[in-house]
């Protein structure tokens, strides 16, 4: 039945291609690693939700050609990028100083959390405000869309696969961050962990603002 909606040969090529691209370290994966370290995998799922919504939106708009128009007017991204990047950089500074809601406390009983809305927003902004992501989808998706099959089912299947692969990769990075966090906490290096996570977060913010 699947072959009636999409070219299965193209699909077989698309899955490993996007898996390779998705698992390569980038802004979203670095953010997942950082949050996995500081707030754990379960709370990081909220960031992943925002990121997946953003990725799905970018993928669909790219196929529809809206992304090509937006890339011709990069000014449309500037404010969004700088505000989002500046906010992530500020969080990174707070982490580096072992302050703020995301910083890991020396007291294991103290739980530091950002709100659910903040986490969703971080993920969404990081996914949407990255022009390289738009350009990537413009170049990646069209070759995997066949003129011999209905457009809507093809886009739906490809976007569903994109989101599934992206979620798996985000979970891997967040779990890796949590594992690193536990190792450093056992070593008594909570401040070092906050500084490492803060440096990563500041890097993501700069990457987003200047990318």
């Amino acid at each position: 039945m699947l072959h009636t909606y999409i070219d299965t040969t193209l699909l077989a090529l698309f899955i490993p291609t996007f898996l390779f691209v998705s698992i390569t370290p980038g802004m979203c994966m670095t953010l997942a690693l950082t949050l996995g370290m500081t707030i754990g995998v379960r709370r990081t799922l909220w960031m992943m939700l925002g990121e997946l919504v953003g990725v799905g939106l970018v993928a669909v708009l790219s196929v529809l050609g809206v992304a090509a128009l937006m890339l011709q007017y990069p000014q449309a991204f500037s404010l969004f990028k700088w505000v989002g990047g500046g906010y992530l950089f500020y969080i990174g500074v707070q982490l580096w100083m072992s302050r703020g809601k995301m910083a890991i406390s020396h007291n294991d009983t103290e739980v530091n959390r950002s709100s659910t809305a903040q986490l969703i927003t971080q993920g969404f902004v990081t996914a949407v405000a990255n022009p390289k992501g738009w350009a990537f989808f413009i170049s990646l998706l069209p070759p995997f869309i066949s003129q011999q099959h209905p457009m809507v089912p093809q886009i739906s299947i490809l976007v569903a696969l994109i989101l599934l692969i992206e979620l798996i990769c985000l979970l891997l990075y967040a779990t890796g961050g949590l594992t690193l966090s536990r190792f450093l906490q056992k070593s008594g290096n909570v401040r070092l962990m906050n500084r490492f996570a803060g440096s990563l977060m500041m890097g993501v913010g700069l990457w987003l603002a200047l990318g």
Side-chain angles (χ1 to χ4, degrees):
M1 287 293 294
L2 187 61
H3 68 275
T4 62
Y5 298 108
I6 193 169
D7 188 325
T8 52
T9 301
L10 291 177
L11 187 63
L13 293 173
F14 175 80
I15 293 174
T17 299
F18 189 76
L19 177 61
F20 174 77
V21 172
S22 183
I23 205 167
T24 301
M27 285 190 294
C28 293
M29 297 303 152
T30 304
L31 183 60
L33 176 71
T34 305
L35 295 183
M37 288 179 61
T38 57
I39 63 175
V41 175
R42 181 176 296 182
R43 289 287 296 166
T44 303
L45 288 173
W46 291 112
M47 183 282 293
M48 295 181 195
L49 173 62
E51 196 268 348
L52 292 175
V53 171
V55 167
L57 178 64
V58 171
V60 172
L61 293 181
S62 296
V63 173
L64 296 179
V66 177
L69 177 63
M70 294 186 72
L71 286 175
Q72 293 179 11
Y73 300 95
Q75 302 90 337
F77 284 106
S78 297
L79 181 60
F80 199 34
K81 284 174 53 185
W82 278 99
V83 172
Y87 178 64
L88 292 179
F89 187 85
Y90 168 76
I91 293 175
V93 171
Q94 293 288 297
L95 272 171
W96 203 89
M97 299 174 66
S98 296
R99 298 177 181 175
K101 294 180 179 180
M102 289 190 181
I104 298 174
S105 173
H106 290 274
N107 181 1
D108 292 337
T109 62
E110 183 179 341
V111 179
N112 296 299
R113 293 179 177 176
S114 288
S115 71
T116 297
Q118 287 175 323
L119 294 171
I120 294 174
T121 301
Q122 285 175 27
F124 182 80
V125 169
T126 303
V128 172
N130 181 15
K132 292 180 181 178
W134 292 82
F136 168 76
F137 278 114
I138 288 177
S139 62
L140 176 69
L141 286 180
F144 293 99
I145 296 177
S146 172
Q147 298 296 327
Q148 311 303 321
H149 294 80
M151 182 66 67
V152 173
Q154 287 187 85
I155 295 176
S156 301
I157 292 171
L158 290 176
V159 170
L161 284 173
I162 286 170
L163 297 182
L164 176 61
I165 293 171
E166 187 79 356
L167 175 60
I168 291 171
C169 294
L170 288 168
L171 286 170
L172 288 174
Y173 273 83
T175 302
L178 178 62
T179 302
L180 179 60
S181 168
R182 288 173 175 170
F183 173 76
L184 291 175
Q185 280 184 306
K186 287 181 179 178
S187 302
N189 294 321
V190 174
R191 181 176 295 274
L192 175 63
M193 183 169 57
N194 278 330
R195 290 188 173 182
F196 179 69
S199 297
L200 288 176
M201 186 72 79
M202 286 187 282
V204 173
L206 289 173
W207 193 352
L208 180 60
L210 303 177

